[in-house]
Amino acid sequence: MKAVIIGGGISGTVTAMALQRAGIEASVHEAYPSGGEDAGAFLTIMHNGMDALRAIGAEGPVNENSFAAAGLELVTPDGRTVEQRSFDLDGLAGPRTLTRAAMYRALQEEAISRGITFERGKRLVSATPGVARFEDGTVAEGDILIGADGLRSVVRNIIDPSCPPPRSTGLDVVYGYTTDTSVPQAPSLYRMIQSLHAFFGYTSAPDGSTYWFARLPTAEGVRSGLSPAEWRTAAFVAFDGEPLPAAEIIASTGDEVFGGHSYDVPSTPVWSNASMVLVGDAAHAASPAAGQGASMALEDSVVLAQCLRDLPDAPTAFAAYERLRRARVEKLVAGSAAVSSGTTSDRDRNWLYQHHIEWDATISRA
């Protein structure tokens, strides 16, 4: 079997490595000339995401390019810490925080070192069984096509042209970094602040730099096309005048600011056909509130490879993969949406973090 993977981000790259470990040849076809290395801001790989990487021996590059957090604090608008949580769960390692660019580079370099082929500048325009066609006129042939092409997945629409579009979460999300070590620090933890008008979180790296994000309630399209400076201003205004460190941290930030509107995909009715299947955000994008988008994609990648390894044909493997994954990811998407809207705090996340993948376990048909 040969797999053609569309998308060279986190899920596409790890799917290729997992398939290789399962004895299946895979090539990765990335739309961006740079492989997406300059996209996004920062992310956290939670315990379950690190577990998925360990299943295929790929956790090392992430550990080398990230830093750990021991827990989180929840802070009220008046500055009171009302809850503390530890990330130490019976010795489980995680989570790790790193820039999205660092994550892409680390995983892609690891995949290439394992002999996996990356084709860049390959934007998918159409596909039929066995053949993927790209905007530059080239094609790729394989037995199966895997859509790891994210929120605006082309493969999702090829599989099901009537699939629902991504849904606005009603939030703009802004990410930033500051190297100013004089601002309030949060070493080895995430400090989460619910202000009067928005939500702010930050953590400090071992070198004293601070990574922060802000979730700003906003209708879709209100702030489209903003520059980094304009995103910084929008975030600052949301917290200015409150007795919290958010505005101070934002003001200390230069142009390392990334912003955009947030979407999710609550349920994708059709995940696969006889020769095509979806992984990661292409199947089930979540709002960033739960911090699980990347980790769920990593789980998908490994479980799909196990199914293709152990079951007799692609349709049977795809059905088993969906059976193993759909309920879990849709529960996560719904929970993250509830946190984003403020209807729940979703305090019990051990069902997420303690998920374990045993690579040598055999996947059954039913």
Side-chain angles (χ1 to χ4, degrees):
M1 180 180 289
K2 179 181 179 182
V4 173
I5 299 173
I6 305 302
I10 293 168
S11 57
T13 304
V14 174
T15 298
M17 288 192 281
L19 289 173
Q20 184 190 60
R21 194 176 183 89
I24 298 169
E25 179 185 355
S27 58
V28 180
H29 303 264
E30 167 61 44
Y32 296 99
S34 66
E37 294 164 354
D38 57 352
F42 69 89
L43 53 87
T44 299
I45 307 299
M46 298 304 295
H47 311 71
N48 49 305
M50 294 304 298
D51 177 83
L53 287 170
R54 278 192 296 277
I56 60 168
E59 76 278 18
V62 173
N63 283 328
E64 292 167 7
N65 289 274
S66 63
F67 60 93
L72 63 80
E73 294 180 351
L74 299 180
V75 181
T76 60
D78 60 4
R80 292 181 299 113
T81 298
V82 293
E83 186 176 348
Q84 295 179 316
R85 304 179 196 167
S86 171
F87 286 144
D88 183 13
L89 300 175
D90 297 326
L92 292 178
R96 308 290 302 189
T97 297
L98 70 169
T99 67
R100 187 173 291 274
M103 180 80 170
Y104 281 13
R105 283 195 300 270
L107 292 177
Q108 290 175 3
E109 288 172 3
E110 177 67 16
I112 290 169
S113 76
R114 298 183 182 196
I116 292 168
T117 300
F118 271 76
E119 298 264 351
R120 305 188 193 278
K122 300 296 179 181
R123 186 172 297 278
L124 185 72
V125 292
S126 66
T128 52
V131 181
R133 297 176 177 83
F134 302 104
E135 193 174 61
D136 64 2
T138 60
V139 301
E141 298 182 355
D143 301 291
I144 59 173
L145 180 76
I146 299 174
D149 49 343
L151 180 73
R152 305 292 178 182
S153 173
V154 175
V155 179
R156 182 172 64 230
N157 284 279
I158 292 172
I159 291 174
D160 179 13
S162 64
C163 66
R167 177 182 68 177
S168 168
T169 64
L171 295 170
D172 284 345
V173 182
V174 188
Y175 300 88
Y177 315 86
T178 176
T179 57
D180 184 349
T181 57
S182 69
V183 300
Q185 299 276 297
S188 300
L189 60 85
Y190 264 95
R191 184 166 289 126
M192 307 295 198
I193 300 170
Q194 179 61 66
S195 81
L196 296 175
H197 307 292
F199 190 91
F200 186 84
Y202 68 104
T203 186
S204 299
D207 65 2
S209 60
T210 293
Y211 292 50
W212 60 265
F213 70 88
R215 298 201 300 262
L216 314 177
T218 317
E220 181 180 12
V222 171
R223 296 194 182 101
S224 61
L226 296 190
S227 67
E230 289 168 330
W231 278 115
R232 183 179 61 241
T233 298
F236 178 83
V237 168
F239 301 99
D240 188 25
E242 296 187 356
L244 301 166
E248 180 183 353
I249 293 170
I250 294 167
S252 73
T253 303
D255 287 335
E256 291 295 314
V257 179
F258 306 84
H261 198 69
S262 174
Y263 298 85
D264 66 8
V265 177
S267 180
T268 298
V270 183
W271 280 28
S272 65
N273 59 24
S275 62
M276 303 178 194
V277 67
L278 304 173
V279 293
D281 282 358
H284 50 74
S287 83
Q292 277 283 334
S295 295
M296 283 292 175
L298 293 169
E299 289 182 17
D300 281 359
S301 298
V302 178
V303 173
L304 176 61
Q306 290 178 301
C307 292
L308 288 165
R309 176 195 66 191
D310 294 344
L311 295 169
D313 53 59
T316 304
F318 294 164
Y321 160 70
E322 182 175 346
R323 171 176 56 82
L324 292 169
R325 299 297 300 155
R326 180 182 281 275
R328 176 170 168 81
V329 298
E330 290 188 354
K331 180 179 178 181
L332 177 275
V333 174
S336 193
V339 173
S340 292
S341 66
T343 57
T344 180
S345 63
D346 190 26
R347 294 179 178 180
D348 180 13
R349 295 185 181 178
N350 284 358
W351 69 274
L352 285 167
Y353 301 156
Q354 293 178 336
H355 185 268
H356 174 62
I357 298 174
E358 187 63 48
W359 175 256
D360 292 329
T362 301
I363 304 297
S364 63
R365 184 187 297 257

